[in-house]
Amino acid sequence: LHGPIDRREYLYTLPWSLTRQPVAVVPFGRSSEGLPIGVQIVARPWRDHVALVAAIALEQAAGGPWPMATELSAAGGAGA
């Protein structure tokens, strides 16, 4: 990947991974206080496609892929 993995990066998805349930996390904008909002989707074992379809639908509802990354680029932050 891009360097060492910090356990905080997968803290919320690890329980699902350990039980072999597919999980997806989708950024979904920001709260009125500016905090990032994310949606975590968990499907039954061997139903990866269900999690992916739901994640794609939420991503499109949020205005496209990674809206927070777009906000960072527009502000001159990471990835700009």
Side-chain angles (χ1 to χ4, degrees), residues 51-65:
L52 290 173
V53 167
I56 290 167
L58 283 172
E59 186 176 74
Q60 289 173 347

Side-chain angles (χ1 to χ4, degrees), residues 57-76:
L58 283 172
E59 186 176 74
Q60 289 173 347
W66 304 102
M68 289 186 286
T70 305
E71 291 172 13
L72 283 173
S73 293

Side-chain angles (χ1 to χ4, degrees), residues 6-76:
D6 185 342
R7 70 181 183 97
R8 293 174 293 181
E9 292 179 20
Y10 61 90
L11 183 62
Y12 297 108
T13 60
L14 183 60
W16 304 112
S17 296
L18 291 175
T19 58
R20 298 183 180 184
Q21 292 177 268
V23 61
V25 180
V26 180
F28 205 71
R30 295 189 176 273
S31 70
S32 58
E33 293 84 18
L35 298 172
I37 297 173
V39 178
Q40 185 173 20
I41 302 158
V42 181
R44 293 177 185 255
W46 303 106
R47 299 287 189 239
D48 301 54
H49 64 285
V50 173
L52 290 173
V53 167
I56 290 167
L58 283 172
E59 186 176 74
Q60 289 173 347
W66 304 102
M68 289 186 286
T70 305
E71 291 172 13
L72 283 173
S73 293

